């Protein structure tokens, strides 16, 4: 495992290219975030920043409750009905709904879903994605983790309806 401490998505991209999928990379924006990751506070949140690894080719659809993202078919459905999402929104949603269902850092999401674009582009895409997901009753909500990134809550269990 390699730890990359940098808020620059370009640095993360170079590290990932150099490793060429050989190992996993954990990215932290700064030393404070690294310290929090290595020794979480006892009363703190249990959310962790997801490890950065080279994006794998999807092995089938990714699910969050009744939301299905099928990257291969370029299709997102909610309760069987297609959702009109852009490629970038679809890739971002596929990353957020996991697995693993963790806090994804700004840098990780920029590297995976936006091809290394800046955080302003990420924020704009998140805003559009939130607007589209808002109309799904019981659907996922994108939550900001201030200073770190974004996450989703776990999907509802079947008996929670």
């Amino acid at each position: 495992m390699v730890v990359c401490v940098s808020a620059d998505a370009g640095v993360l991209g170079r590290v990932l290219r150099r490793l060429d999928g050989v190992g996993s990379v954990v990215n932290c924006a700064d030393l404070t975030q690294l310290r929090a990751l290595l020794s979480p506070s006892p009363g703190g949140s249990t959310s962790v920043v997801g490890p950065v690894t080279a994006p794998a080719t999807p092995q089938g659809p990714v699910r969050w409750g009744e939301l299905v993202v099928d990257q291969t078919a370029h299709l997102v459905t909610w309760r069987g009905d297609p959702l009109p999402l852009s490629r970038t929104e679809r890739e971002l949603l596929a990353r957020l709904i996991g697995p693993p269902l963790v806090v994804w850092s700004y840098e990780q999401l920029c590297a995976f879903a936006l091809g290394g674009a800046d955080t302003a582009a990420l924020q704009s895409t998140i805003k559009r994605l939130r607007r589209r997901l808002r109309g799904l009753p019981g659907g996922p909500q994108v939550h900001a983790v201030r200073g770190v990134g974004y996450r989703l809550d776990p999907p509802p269990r079947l008996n929670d309806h």
Side-chain angles (χ1 to χ4, degrees), residues 42-61:
S45 171
T46 58
S47 295
V48 297
V49 177
V52 177
T53 55
T57 304
Q59 298 298 317

Side-chain angles (χ1 to χ4, degrees), residues 6 10 13 40 53 56-57 62 73 80 88 137 154 157:
S6 176
T53 55
T57 304
V62 182
T88 305
R157 295 178 297 179

Side-chain angles (χ1 to χ4, degrees), residues 32-154:
T32 303
Q33 186 181 5
L34 178 61
R35 284 184 196 104
L37 181 65
L38 294 175
S39 54
S41 62
S45 171
T46 58
S47 295
V48 297
V49 177
V52 177
T53 55
T57 304
Q59 298 298 317
V62 182
R63 299 178 189 282
W64 184 99
E66 297 179 82
L67 179 75
V68 179
V69 179
D70 188 341
Q71 289 287 79
T72 306
H74 308 286
L75 180 66
V76 177
T77 59
W78 171 252
R79 296 180 177 166
D81 295 326
L83 285 178
L85 298 181
S86 71
R87 179 193 57 82
T88 305
E89 292 165 343
R90 191 173 54 248
E91 289 178 8
L92 184 58
L93 184 59
R95 179 60 57 186
L96 286 169
I97 66 176
L101 198 59
V102 295
V103 176
W104 292 97
S105 75
Y106 303 118
E107 293 80 17
Q108 292 167 323
L109 293 173
C110 285
F112 290 136
L114 302 172
D118 62 12
T119 56
L122 175 63
Q123 290 170 349
S124 176
T125 304
I126 289 285
K127 183 178 180 179
R128 287 193 317 272
L129 182 60
R130 282 176 167 163
R131 192 176 321 130
R132 294 180 193 270
L133 296 176
R134 196 174 300 135
L136 306 178
Q141 294 181 2
V142 179
H143 300 282
V145 179
R146 189 177 177 117
V148 180
Y150 296 97
R151 68 170 177 83
L152 294 180
D153 288 329

